[in-house]
Amino acid sequence: MTTHEILLAAQSARQPLALADTDTKNRALEAMATALTAASDEILAANRKDLDAARGKVSEVMLDRLALTPLRLTDMAKGMREVAALPDPVGALLRQIVRPNGLVIEKRAVPMGVIAIIYESRPNVTSDAAALALKAGSACVLRCGRDAWQSCHAIVQALRRGLVSAGLPETAVSLIEDTTHASANELMTADGLVDLLIPRGGAGLISACVRNATVPCIQTGTGICHVYVDAAADLDMAVRIIENAKTSRPSVCNAEEVCLVHRDVADRFLPMLRAALVDARAAEGLTPVELRLDERAAAIIPGTPASAQDFDTEFLNYILAVGVVDSLDDAIAHIAAHSTHHSDAIVTADDRAAARFTACVDSAAVYVNASTRFTDGGEFGLGCEMGISTQKLHARGPMGLAELCTYKYIIRGSGQTRGGASAKLQTPCC
């Protein structure tokens, strides 16, 4: 099917999904999770084809991002069931106003309609997006990267079998067949067919969508995430946090890319950091982290000299830019200049420093004494997520069910009409 035909088919699912009650949607999610697990052999076989085609063309870290395993499939099904267990956002009463004339004005959450998601080489996004869109009462149209198409196609086929078995239209979840730039551009400009566009991927994809989209578009920013080690930090805690934030899964957007260290603790902390991220990992046969050091850090420990660009790069790899700063305010200023407003953290035992950091750092998620890796819909108790929004309008941070709804005003009356003096401008504007 062409992209246009797929969008038209998705439109046909709008009304059945909008009318589906909570029990129906939850049964569908359970059926989809069951179908996903039942199809694990064919999904893993499809994923092997994608991995074989990508091997030698992308880094090992990016191969890990593409790879599916039985455990990851189990987690994907678990995520769908967790969405089913969440309260249904559709129809929620957000506000009620009773006017002196007797009108009752309700602000209620309603489905978006059709949500399009453009993403790259993470097949697990397929089930996350489908589950969230369905529970939020919307059809989803998925457009994955060429590298992941075989995997995503097998996943969507399984999810569609689950939908049909639960009595909902299979067009509630669709996968674009064309993986060229043309299909992405068509989604960006599908006015009247796409109600919300969400890009998930690198800076190039996101900036292209923000620049070119004529449909409503959520800006899901890249993750140049910082951890600042304050003068009052517990240094052992700081090492543990940074090790997790950098190495637990470096290919994801909530991984740390920059470490800033207060000058008062730099002489003690930086050797500890190198020992954990470089020496200990190499001794254990793990990939050591390449430390890209500014001049002040390089005067304390060995590493790679950092370029100015290193502090503005989402490495998505075992690379960490490290800098020394003179004060908390210098760290805040550095983050303001280089952050992508995704996730930034301070490690400190000083409550006043923590309060100043959280008040001044303008990011979607700001941490005190915790790893940036927690910026995730599941970790925030939202089930899975559609993406991490770094903008400020409509949604910010992990986008769960509530963020996938819009709202409408429903006004109930008993024959009221507007007119007379109350309809006239009481204070002339000139």
Side-chain angles (χ1 to χ4, degrees):
M1 295 175 68
T2 67
T3 300
H4 185 70
E5 288 169 339
I6 290 170
L7 289 171
L8 290 176
Q11 289 288 317
S12 69
R14 289 174 61 115
Q15 190 173 89
L17 289 174
L19 294 174
D21 61 22
T22 302
D23 289 343
T24 299
K25 290 187 287 188
N26 288 345
R27 282 196 303 272
L29 287 167
E30 174 60 37
M32 293 161 72
T34 299
L36 184 73
T37 303
S40 60
D41 288 346
E42 61 192 82
I43 293 170
L44 292 173
N47 185 244
R48 283 193 293 272
K49 293 179 183 178
D50 286 334
L51 288 170
D52 289 344
R55 200 166 277 113
K57 300 176 183 176
V58 299
S59 69
E60 288 297 316
V61 170
M62 298 310 289
L63 279 176
D64 176 69
R65 189 170 177 154
L66 173 62
L68 293 174
T69 64
L71 178 58
R72 287 183 181 178
L73 282 177
T74 299
D75 287 343
M76 288 161 63
K78 179 184 175 186
M80 299 186 79
R81 292 186 171 103
E82 288 174 348
V83 172
L86 293 172
D88 191 340
V90 178
L93 179 63
L94 305 177
R95 189 181 181 193
Q96 184 179 76
I97 304 167
V98 180
R99 299 294 295 148
N101 61 5
L103 284 179
V104 179
I105 302 172
E106 296 176 347
K107 182 181 181 181
R108 289 195 178 271
V110 296
M112 286 284 180
V114 174
I115 301 173
I117 306 97
I118 302 177
Y119 57 111
E120 294 174 341
S121 300
R122 292 183 64 185
N124 63 296
V125 171
T126 309
S127 60
D128 288 356
L132 286 166
L134 179 73
K135 187 67 178 266
S138 289
C140 73
V141 175
L142 304 158
R143 194 275 189 189
C144 68
R146 181 183 294 107
D147 291 347
W149 195 86
Q150 298 278 358
S151 306
C152 297
H153 177 68
I155 292 168
V156 168
Q157 292 303 106
L159 299 181
R160 284 184 150 206
R161 289 194 289 271
L163 280 166
V164 171
S165 72
L168 288 177
E170 68 174 11
T171 53
V173 179
S174 301
L175 180 68
I176 297 297
E177 297 173 15
D178 176 10
T179 57
T180 68
H181 290 304
S183 65
N185 291 334
E186 189 166 352
L187 290 179
M188 294 179 208
T189 56
D191 299 83
L193 295 176
V194 170
D195 296 287
L196 179 66
L197 174 65
I198 303 173
R200 288 190 62 167
L205 168 63
I206 293 163
S207 63
C209 288
V210 171
R211 272 196 326 270
N212 300 319
T214 58
V215 300
C217 178
I218 293 287
Q219 184 170 350
T220 57
T222 51
I224 301 177
C225 303
H226 297 71
V227 177
Y228 163 60
V229 181
D230 187 47
D234 177 326
L235 299 187
D236 290 324
M237 176 193 292
V239 170
R240 292 195 302 272
I241 287 172
I242 291 170
E243 186 171 20
N244 177 263
K246 180 70 259 183
T247 69
S248 61
R249 201 170 182 196
S251 65
V252 294
C253 63
N254 56 25
E256 179 192 3
E257 305 292 15
V258 177
C259 173
L260 301 175
V261 184
H262 193 286
R263 67 180 182 187
D264 290 352
V265 295
D267 286 341
R268 285 183 291 144
F269 178 73
L270 288 176
M272 295 169 64
L273 183 71
R274 178 178 170 81
L277 297 190
V278 181
D279 302 335
R281 288 182 62 83
E284 294 172 19
L286 301 173
T287 303
V289 176
E290 179 186 348
L291 301 179
R292 297 194 179 174
L293 310 173
D294 74 357
E295 289 185 5
R296 298 172 75 178
I300 300 171
I301 58 171
T304 304
S307 69
Q309 190 59 37
D310 284 331
F311 290 92
D312 292 296
T313 300
E314 185 183 32
F315 297 112
L316 301 175
N317 208 333
Y318 291 101
I319 302 170
L320 182 67
V322 181
V324 176
V325 294
D326 289 326
S327 66
L328 167 65
D329 284 343
D330 283 349
I332 292 169
H334 185 286
I335 292 170
H338 300 278
S339 172
T340 53
H341 310 291
H342 190 295
S343 301
D344 297 295
I346 182 174
V347 183
T348 187
D350 184 338
D351 290 342
R352 288 179 298 177
R356 187 170 183 83
F357 188 89
T358 57
C360 294
V361 171
D362 185 22
S363 294
V366 183
Y367 292 84
V368 178
N369 297 329
S371 169
T372 58
R373 288 280 287 111
F374 285 102
T375 308
D376 173 85
E379 295 293 339
F380 278 23
L382 306 176
C384 41
E385 74 184 32
M386 190 67 84
I388 309 292
S389 171
T390 56
Q391 64 183 34
K392 296 184 181 181
L393 294 179
H394 175 68
R396 197 178 196 196
M399 294 180 61
L401 290 171
E403 291 75 26
L404 296 183
C405 289
T406 182
Y407 58 82
K408 68 172 62 169
Y409 287 96
I410 300 171
I411 303 92
R412 304 184 191 279
S414 54
Q416 290 90 336
T417 60
R418 180 176 176 177
S422 65
K424 296 177 182 177
L425 185 65
Q426 299 300 309
T427 303
C429 58
C430 58

